[in-house]
Amino acid sequence: MDLNEINALLPFLLRRENVARYEGGEVVMCDRRQYPFEKTFFRCQDVECAARAIEDMVTQGGGPQYVALYAMAMLAGQVANRKAAQQREAFKKANLRLIKTRPTNTSMARHLENAMGVIDQALDQGQDVEAALLDWIEKIRDLSYEKHLKCGEYGASLIEDGDGILTMCFAETSLLMTLAIAKKSGKAMHVFTPETRPYLQGARLTAPSIHEIGVPVQIITDNMPAHVISQGKIQKYFTAADLITLDGHVVNKIGTFQNALAAHHHGVPYFVFTQAADKHKPNRESIEIEARNPDEIKMCRGVPTTSQEIDAYYPAFDITPPNFVAGVITQHGILSPYDLARYFG
Amino acid sequence: MDLNEINALLPFLLRRENVARYEGGEVVMCDRRQYPFEKTFFRCQDVECAARAIEDMVTQGGGPQYVALYAMAMLAGQVANRKAAQQREAFKKANLRLIKTRPTNTSMARHLENAMGVIDQALDQGQDVEAALLDWIEKIRDLSYEKHLKCGEYGASLIEDGDGILTMCFAETSLLMTLAIAKKSGKAMHVFTPETRPYLQGARLTAPSIHEIGVPVQIITDNMPAHVISQGKIQKYFTAADLITLDGHVVNKIGTFQNALAAHHHGVPYFVFTQAADKHKPNRESIEIEARNPDEIKMCRGVPTTSQEIDAYYPAFDITPPNFVAGVITQHGILSPYDLARYFG
């Protein structure tokens, strides 16, 4: 399969051009806050706008890293006429601003650090920085889609005909690839997606995307996974990860851990997709969990769920220890969570 | 403490007259669908209205049983001039209609069966059926509040100063009594209430009620309990039960089970309040789980959470096996879930 064929297999939200693109000097992304009620695109003309789009969940999951990189390319176009030293300062400031938007997902930070290398090299060699960045971004996107395809093939190999599948939040391209490839090979599946409060990524993004590729899917609320597993309806549990430490701790959207506990209790294996473990995060202690504004817990799609004077608590991610992880699905195969340092260390 | 003092300790929603009352030939209940946004009362002038109020969640938890009993008293007033045989037929029909509203919570069914005994006796002895029913209902409500007070005292004895407490859904009078008594004795506590989708009983009913009696409380979403427990913030987990089988299986709002799994994994004891195990439900196999309309999962306070064409699944309750239950709090004390048959068999 070539990269165009891969893109064609994916649902609307995950097609490369809808996740993020650079167009007419603007960074453009499908607005995931409105989906699936409206298919609208959000456009940014400066770095601050892109940073806020990430913070405000206009884009999420795999989107922010490309939005952030395109924002750097956009900035390169905007500062091209300044002196090199001034340009470097602008890039450095933008880089720090963008990294700050997501303290937990360090993959974006890694890409942004690498972008600084591309920028430095282009400046040193007197090249067009904007063009150099855009060229490099397309290359890493190609590479990423190739890894997704590998993950999809490994993921599909784990699915047996008739499997019930649990997921959480929006596991994006790797999960959708997995389901598309398994379906193509004639396997029947049924997916349960917890709605994933407070932003409802499961209900709004995952379920419509799975439905779009023709796989049966049902939404449940976040208090239901253990019961559905106990009814024998689930044979595999798959999620993505915002971060995996070198010693196999999986950081993902809050709820992933309690589902993994329930799966483990009922003998259902939990598999997690990733493009890489984070070599700068050796263990649980090195993880920083993003605490978001508690007011977001007290709303659902803009409607209040309780009285204004009531307090709330909003940790955005949780940590699943490696003993609950049956396999980490990467381009290198289905790895033990205890063997990641050998590949990514 | 006498019954008036008990009532005064309770928050608005749980005060006897607000749960359900019989007034001017109507059954009146606080509308729990609107709370805490509005404090409105819902009034019924016939049995069908009361049955629908139960089905539509105007009342829930401990409310439906009294709404159903007052509906029988209301019917008695309405049919008093008919022949005894016709009255019996009307009572029988109403009874079946009301029992059908809640297949999982058998406590209401038990009370409705007992009401038929009161009716038969009054008819046989030529007494005023409406008055006989109302007199009997007040007696069983007194008895119930006395049991709640006992449960509250046993519950409060389990709380240590500084405890973090997890609950689920709306554990009503027993939990609120427990917290009020513990607070009165000088213990500090902090409660976390999962919002309890799809009806948000935790966010709308539990959190404002706990806040009202002056105990610190924070709302979390239903995907957070295991993470909050893993952070060491929880020392006790308390819920009510819609049904407990004689062999110690706890049936309660969906989510109770996965919280119990997470509590157990982290060494946090789970205690469940009940007024009685169900002697007609010997074991797990005898439980009927109410399946509600899946469309309710796709809404949050009237706002859609996904596209219309997406399917959903809505089991309303789950089952926690006795090995995850540290104690069943009853008027007889804090019982082992394996010793219920001796008290309730």
Side-chain angles (χ1 to χ4, degrees):
Chain A
M1 253 188 284
D2 74 11
L3 290 179
N4 286 332
E5 283 176 286
I6 297 172
N7 207 33
L9 272 185
L10 291 171
F12 177 85
L13 259 188
L14 296 174
R15 266 175 234 138
R16 190 157 162 163
E17 62 277 17
N18 298 338
V19 172
R21 63 179 184 264
Y22 185 55
E23 187 180 79
E26 296 178 330
V27 181
V28 184
M29 66 207 88
C30 179
D31 190 337
R32 292 191 179 185
R33 296 169 309 178
Q34 311 301 331
Y35 195 85
F37 311 105
E38 289 171 45
K39 289 181 182 172
T40 54
F41 287 85
F42 190 88
R43 315 180 86 90
C44 282
Q45 295 171 348
D46 59 47
V47 168
E48 183 57 28
C49 169
R52 293 222 179 128
I54 296 169
E55 285 169 347
D56 296 345
M57 308 288 279
V58 178
T59 180
Q60 53 78 251
Q65 57 191 335
Y66 299 119
V67 167
L69 294 179
Y70 285 129
M72 294 299 288
M74 174 172 63
L75 178 67
Q78 291 166 351
V79 301
N81 293 330
R82 296 191 204 164
K83 285 182 189 157
Q86 285 178 317
Q87 287 192 41
R88 278 186 220 275
E89 201 163 321
F91 287 125
K92 208 170 153 187
K93 205 178 132 199
N95 212 272
L96 289 174
R97 173 72 185 96
L98 290 164
I99 285 175
K100 221 185 62 181
T101 59
R102 285 286 155 86
T104 301
N105 187 328
T106 54
S107 151
M108 183 178 75
R110 231 167 28 231
H111 282 311
L112 281 166
E113 277 157 26
N114 293 340
M116 290 305 278
V118 175
I119 290 166
D120 280 338
Q121 201 183 351
L123 282 174
D124 289 347
Q125 301 180 357
Q127 292 170 339
D128 180 330
V129 181
E130 182 186 15
L133 274 173
L134 288 174
D135 187 52
W136 171 74
I137 296 167
E138 294 318 305
K139 275 195 195 110
I140 64 167
R141 290 194 88 175
D142 285 353
L143 197 65
S144 171
Y145 274 87
E146 277 158 21
K147 288 180 188 172
H148 281 310
L149 181 60
K150 278 269 192 196
C151 286
E153 282 163 355
Y154 288 121
S157 76
L158 291 166
I159 294 176
E160 290 170 76
D161 189 39
D163 269 0
I165 292 167
L166 177 70
T167 186
M168 186 69 193
C169 198
F170 187 29
E172 297 194 275
T173 309
S174 294
L175 177 65
L176 269 293
M177 279 287 164
T178 292
L179 298 175
I181 294 168
K183 182 172 189 276
K184 218 174 160 185
S185 71
K187 292 173 185 170
M189 296 151 284
H190 186 103
V191 184
F192 290 88
T193 70
E195 62 178 4
T196 316
R197 283 273 292 138
Y199 273 99
L200 302 167
Q201 290 96 333
R204 293 191 304 105
L205 312 179
T206 308
S209 293
I210 292 173
H211 181 72
E212 193 183 330
I213 66 163
V215 171
V217 58
Q218 283 184 303
I219 296 174
I220 54 177
T221 49
D222 299 321
N223 41 4
M224 295 181 184
H227 178 68
V228 176
I229 296 169
S230 80
Q231 291 183 307
K233 291 180 189 286
I234 304 293
Q235 283 67 49
K236 308 277 153 53
Y237 174 35
F238 287 103
T239 75
D242 285 82
L243 164 70
I244 302 184
T245 61
L246 272 191
D247 72 347
H249 286 79
V250 176
V251 182
N252 195 42
K253 175 58 57 194
I254 190 100
T256 302
F257 170 48
Q258 62 187 39
N259 297 346
L261 266 178
H264 189 258
H265 175 74
H266 292 93
V268 169
Y270 168 40
F271 298 101
V272 54
F273 296 105
T274 193
Q275 297 216 336
D278 188 330
K279 66 177 169 189
H280 302 298
K281 299 285 178 183
N283 52 36
R284 189 180 184 113
E285 286 65 42
S286 59
I287 301 163
E288 181 188 350
I289 295 285
E290 181 182 354
R292 294 184 61 91
N293 185 346
D295 287 346
E296 296 175 18
I297 296 296
K298 295 162 61 181
M299 304 286 266
C300 183
R301 293 203 65 223
V303 173
T305 57
T306 190
S307 308
Q308 215 169 0
E309 72 268 23
I310 302 300
D311 195 16
Y313 176 52
Y314 185 2
F317 301 92
D318 63 24
I319 304 170
T320 302
N323 55 307
F324 296 105
V325 180
V328 180
I329 304 175
T330 73
Q331 77 269 28
H332 306 297
I334 302 155
L335 309 182
S336 158
Y338 295 98
D339 193 29
L340 301 178
R342 193 152 65 89
Y343 294 88
F344 303 107
Chain B
M1 252 187 285
D2 73 11
L3 290 178
N4 286 332
E5 283 176 285
I6 297 171
N7 207 33
L9 272 184
L10 291 171
F12 177 85
L13 259 188
L14 296 173
R15 268 177 233 137
R16 191 157 162 163
E17 62 278 17
N18 298 338
V19 172
R21 63 179 185 265
Y22 185 55
E23 187 179 78
E26 297 178 329
V27 181
V28 184
M29 66 207 87
C30 180
D31 190 338
R32 293 191 179 186
R33 295 170 309 179
Q34 311 301 330
Y35 194 86
F37 311 105
E38 289 171 45
K39 288 182 183 173
T40 54
F41 287 85
F42 190 88
R43 314 180 87 89
C44 282
Q45 296 171 346
D46 59 47
V47 168
E48 182 57 28
C49 169
R52 293 223 178 125
I54 296 169
E55 285 169 348
D56 297 345
M57 308 288 280
V58 178
T59 181
Q60 51 79 251
Q65 57 191 334
Y66 299 118
V67 167
L69 294 179
Y70 285 129
M72 294 299 288
M74 173 172 64
L75 178 67
Q78 291 166 351
V79 301
N81 294 329
R82 297 192 201 162
K83 287 181 188 158
Q86 285 179 317
Q87 288 193 41
R88 279 185 218 275
E89 200 164 320
F91 288 125
K92 208 170 151 186
K93 206 178 129 197
N95 213 272
L96 289 174
R97 173 72 185 95
L98 290 163
I99 286 176
K100 220 185 62 180
T101 58
R102 286 285 155 86
T104 301
N105 187 328
T106 54
S107 151
M108 183 177 76
R110 228 163 33 228
H111 281 311
L112 281 166
E113 277 157 26
N114 293 340
M116 290 305 278
V118 175
I119 291 167
D120 279 337
Q121 200 183 354
L123 283 173
D124 289 347
Q125 301 180 356
Q127 293 170 337
D128 180 330
V129 180
E130 183 185 14
L133 273 173
L134 288 174
D135 187 52
W136 171 74
I137 295 168
E138 294 318 304
K139 276 197 195 108
I140 65 167
R141 290 193 88 174
D142 285 353
L143 197 65
S144 171
Y145 274 87
E146 277 159 22
K147 288 181 188 171
H148 281 309
L149 181 60
K150 279 270 192 196
C151 286
E153 282 162 356
Y154 288 121
S157 76
L158 291 165
I159 294 177
E160 290 170 75
D161 189 39
D163 268 0
I165 293 167
L166 177 71
T167 186
M168 185 69 193
C169 198
F170 187 30
E172 298 195 274
T173 310
S174 295
L175 177 65
L176 269 293
M177 279 287 163
T178 292
L179 299 175
I181 294 168
K183 182 173 189 275
K184 219 174 159 184
S185 71
K187 292 173 184 170
M189 298 150 284
H190 186 103
V191 184
F192 289 88
T193 70
E195 61 178 4
T196 317
R197 283 273 293 140
Y199 274 98
L200 302 167
Q201 290 96 333
R204 293 191 304 106
L205 312 179
T206 308
S209 294
I210 292 174
H211 180 73
E212 193 183 330
I213 65 163
V215 171
V217 58
Q218 283 183 304
I219 296 174
I220 54 177
T221 50
D222 299 322
N223 41 5
M224 295 182 184
H227 177 69
V228 176
I229 296 170
S230 80
Q231 292 182 305
K233 291 180 190 288
I234 304 293
Q235 282 67 49
K236 308 277 153 53
Y237 174 36
F238 288 102
T239 75
D242 285 82
L243 165 69
I244 302 184
T245 61
L246 272 192
D247 72 347
H249 285 78
V250 175
V251 182
N252 195 41
K253 175 58 58 193
I254 191 99
T256 302
F257 170 47
Q258 62 187 37
N259 297 347
L261 266 177
H264 189 258
H265 174 74
H266 293 93
V268 168
Y270 168 40
F271 298 101
V272 54
F273 296 106
T274 192
Q275 298 216 335
D278 189 330
K279 66 177 170 188
H280 302 299
K281 300 286 179 182
N283 52 36
R284 189 180 182 113
E285 287 63 43
S286 60
I287 301 163
E288 182 189 348
I289 295 287
E290 180 182 353
R292 293 183 63 92
N293 185 346
D295 287 345
E296 295 175 19
I297 296 296
K298 295 162 59 181
M299 304 286 267
C300 183
R301 294 204 64 223
V303 173
T305 56
T306 190
S307 308
Q308 216 170 357
E309 73 267 23
I310 303 299
D311 195 15
Y313 176 52
Y314 185 2
F317 301 92
D318 63 24
I319 304 170
T320 302
N323 55 305
F324 295 105
V325 180
V328 180
I329 305 174
T330 73
Q331 76 268 29
H332 305 298
I334 302 156
L335 309 181
S336 158
Y338 296 97
D339 193 29
L340 302 177
R342 194 152 64 88
Y343 294 87
F344 303 107

